[in-house]
Amino acid sequence: MAGARGRASLGRCWLGGKGGGWAGGSPACGIISSLCFMPAGLKRWLSSAAPAPRVCVVGSGPAGFYTAQHILKHHGGAQVDIYEKLPVPFGLVRFGVAPDHPEVKNVTNSFTQTARSERCAYYGNVTVGRDVTVPELQQAYHAVVLSYGAEDNRVLGIPGENLPGVLSARAFVGWYNGLPENRHLKPDLSCETALILGHGNVALDIARILLAPLPLLRKTDITAGSLAALACSKVKRVWLVGRRGPLQVAFTIKELREMINLPGTRPVLSPADFTGLENAIKDAPRPRKRLTELMIKTALEKPVEKPVEVQAAAAREWGLKFQRSPQEVLPSADGTRVRAVRMALTRLEGSGDSAKAIPTGDVEDLECGLVLSSIGYRSLPLDPAVPFDAQRGVIPNTSGRVEGVPGLYCSGWVKRGPTGVIITTMNDSFDTAQSVLEDLQVGTLDVSSSREGFGAVESILRSRGVRPVSFSDWEKIDAAEVARGRAAGKPREKIVDPQEMLQLVGH
């Protein structure tokens, strides 16, 4: 199929769940509809007695589920198996979305519908690259789609980065969201000042969690362990520091407004950072303009969002610091923990999103007892058989087709890098799924010989002592978490130990 017309059908899609809605383009296309605006030839082909391709998706986050969803909707015979290294599904929806943003998690309702499809199967507790290799999956399936995301963080690469008290944002978010690998993290919250390096939504999420009133957090699915630690926290000031200026921040207005309105806190923004910006944003795109106007208003005026007396009485504060690039993490006198971060002051060359931060030669030490590095996530290579661009942290691909490996595809962050929100990932995953459908139609994927799919993989896993977790197993874990949450007055109490999860399902 000539891609353009087929891909145009991906412009508008139903997000599913109670909070679902239409996103983008024409209402005639959604995941709930059937074949949308597909070219007539592809429609005829899909509705004929086409062979039943077996497709496997590695990763059960948004990218994996959206890829599976689109293939199942638009190929009436395809069977899709989803593999996940954890016993529990949903990836960053479960482990990345902030606990106080439950509406964003409603997409799991449509993912659950997909997993319950008779042509879809979920196999958790299976680590691809270790328990089963990618070449073994390629032998068992007609197409393999890698959607395993970005499971590492970018490092700062500066002296003192490994001092106690310096953590990655990824680990901290994983800790309060119940990611098993971060359950033993013990962030030292005994200091008054925390420093977050980065000006994205994740940085704002972390600042909000650090400063939020406990009654607000108690009503969320934040883990019991992190809630207990935050209850004893001495942190009352959070600085969010970026290399560039107010016109280059990566967070969105919704998250900024939420932070400005956080009860018991006050924003501290320096008016000097915003003088003259009104003229600079006259011709800026509307989202950037509105975001900058809100920062200007917060810096130069008393915010209308909160009464002045409440602001003055706020026990906690947060602020944005600009044009500072971390050079070194400075240790305390006894060398046992972080004392400050030495910042190089920068000037901007260029304008807009392409502006570069150039060190001026001046430095400044920002005192703090906790440093959280929120400068981005990073994908890792999964299997020696899969090409990987270590520089960019992605699998080299064209429209999701892995370069030089027919029948192998990728979607989500491992395809394009760790950027964007769930809707971005949805459209990106549909693009990859469309490539799979096109390759099935034109015969690039040969389905004339049948493949065993999970039948072949199951014997491999058994020989290696691996017992997969089914979706109905996950639903038992889910029910247990919801029941525990109900007892605590929360939507759920996440189980953070994989062994406990496996015991629940009789493994």
Side-chain angles (χ1 to χ4, degrees), residues 1-10 39 401 431 434 438:
M1 177 176 90
R5 192 173 162 200
R7 289 190 216 287
S9 70
L10 308 182
R401 297 176 178 94
D431 178 66
Q434 199 67 25
E438 289 172 15

Side-chain angles (χ1 to χ4, degrees), residues 243 323-325 327 343-349 356-364:
R243 291 178 300 113
Q323 292 181 231
R324 289 166 171 85
S325 181
Q327 296 299 290
M343 297 284 178
L345 303 187
T346 66
R347 59 182 174 81
L348 295 188
E349 276 189 5
K356 296 266 192 298
I358 310 295
T360 62
D362 294 327
V363 296
E364 173 189 66

Side-chain angles (χ1 to χ4, degrees), residues 22 109 112 181 210 233 296 329 353-354 385 442:
W22 294 105
N109 297 332
T112 296
E181 68 186 70
L210 281 171
S233 171
I296 292 170
V329 180
D353 291 342
S354 60
V442 300

Side-chain angles (χ1 to χ4, degrees), residues 293-313:
E293 284 170 348
L294 180 57
M295 286 190 284
I296 292 170
K297 183 196 292 185
T298 307
L300 303 183
E301 307 168 14
K302 293 296 181 189
V304 296
E305 283 91 344
K306 285 188 189 175
V308 175
E309 58 273 16
V310 175
Q311 287 269 312

Side-chain angles (χ1 to χ4, degrees), residues 125-153:
N125 197 41
V126 177
T127 301
V128 172
R130 186 192 68 191
D131 300 337
V132 58
T133 67
V134 171
E136 285 168 338
L137 289 176
Q138 288 177 289
Q139 287 293 312
Y141 292 89
H142 295 106
V144 175
V145 187
L146 303 175
S147 309
Y148 62 87
E151 39 189 6
D152 198 11
N153 51 276

Side-chain angles (χ1 to χ4, degrees), residues 201-399:
N201 280 342
V202 173
L204 277 184
D205 280 347
I206 291 172
R208 203 174 60 252
I209 296 297
L210 281 171
L211 297 176
L214 279 175
L216 192 152
L217 292 178
R218 283 196 186 101
K219 297 173 188 168
T220 72
D221 68 359
I222 192 168
T223 63
S226 51
L227 187 62
L230 288 163
C232 303
S233 171
K234 300 285 191 292
V235 176
K236 63 179 186 182
R237 184 180 305 105
V238 177
W239 297 117
L240 297 98
V241 187
R243 291 178 300 113
R244 301 192 293 171
L247 295 178
Q248 288 81 34
V249 295
F251 50 70
T252 51
I253 193 166
K254 176 183 178 290
E255 277 70 21
L256 177 63
R257 187 174 286 117
E258 205 174 354
M259 196 71 212
I260 291 169
N261 290 329
L262 190 66
T265 66
R266 65 188 187 95
V268 181
L269 273 64
S270 169
D273 288 328
F274 297 92
T275 49
L277 283 193
E278 290 97 334
N279 290 329
I281 58 167
K282 275 180 181 169
D283 301 319
R286 188 165 179 269
R288 173 68 66 187
K289 187 176 181 182
R290 289 178 62 232
L291 176 64
T292 309
E293 284 170 348
L294 180 57
M295 286 190 284
I296 292 170
K297 183 196 292 185
T298 307
L300 303 183
E301 307 168 14
K302 293 296 181 189
V304 296
E305 283 91 344
K306 285 188 189 175
V308 175
E309 58 273 16
V310 175
Q311 287 269 312
R316 298 177 170 193
E317 62 184 22
W318 64 275
L320 301 171
K321 289 186 179 288
F322 301 100
Q323 292 181 231
R324 289 166 171 85
S325 181
Q327 296 299 290
E328 184 180 356
V329 180
L330 304 175
S332 56
D334 59 5
T336 60
R337 56 172 301 152
V338 57
R339 172 182 64 80
V341 178
R342 179 155 294 162
M343 297 284 178
L345 303 187
T346 66
R347 59 182 174 81
L348 295 188
E349 276 189 5
S351 60
D353 291 342
S354 60
K356 296 266 192 298
I358 310 295
T360 62
D362 294 327
V363 296
E364 173 189 66
D365 293 352
L366 289 179
E367 303 284 326
C368 59
L370 175 65
V371 178
L372 294 150
S373 169
S374 184
I375 58 169
Y377 289 61
R378 196 167 65 107
S379 293
L380 297 172
L382 182 74
D383 190 297
V386 181
F388 192 78
D389 182 338
Q391 189 71 34
R392 294 172 55 225
V394 295
I395 295 171
N397 71 91
T398 305
S399 293

Side-chain angles (χ1 to χ4, degrees), residues 74-130:
H74 301 309
H75 193 301
Q79 292 181 296
V80 181
D81 292 343
I82 300 173
Y83 290 89
E84 167 60 54
K85 69 173 184 175
L86 291 170
V88 295
F90 307 140
L92 272 186
V93 179
R94 178 179 168 98
F95 298 117
V97 174
D100 56 347
H101 285 174
E103 71 287 349
V104 182
K105 303 182 189 188
N106 285 334
V107 292
T108 60
N109 297 332
S110 78
F111 296 166
T112 296
Q113 287 179 333
T114 299
R116 287 175 176 164
S117 159
E118 59 187 21
R119 291 187 290 119
C120 184
Y122 167 84
Y123 300 105
N125 197 41
V126 177
T127 301
V128 172
R130 186 192 68 191

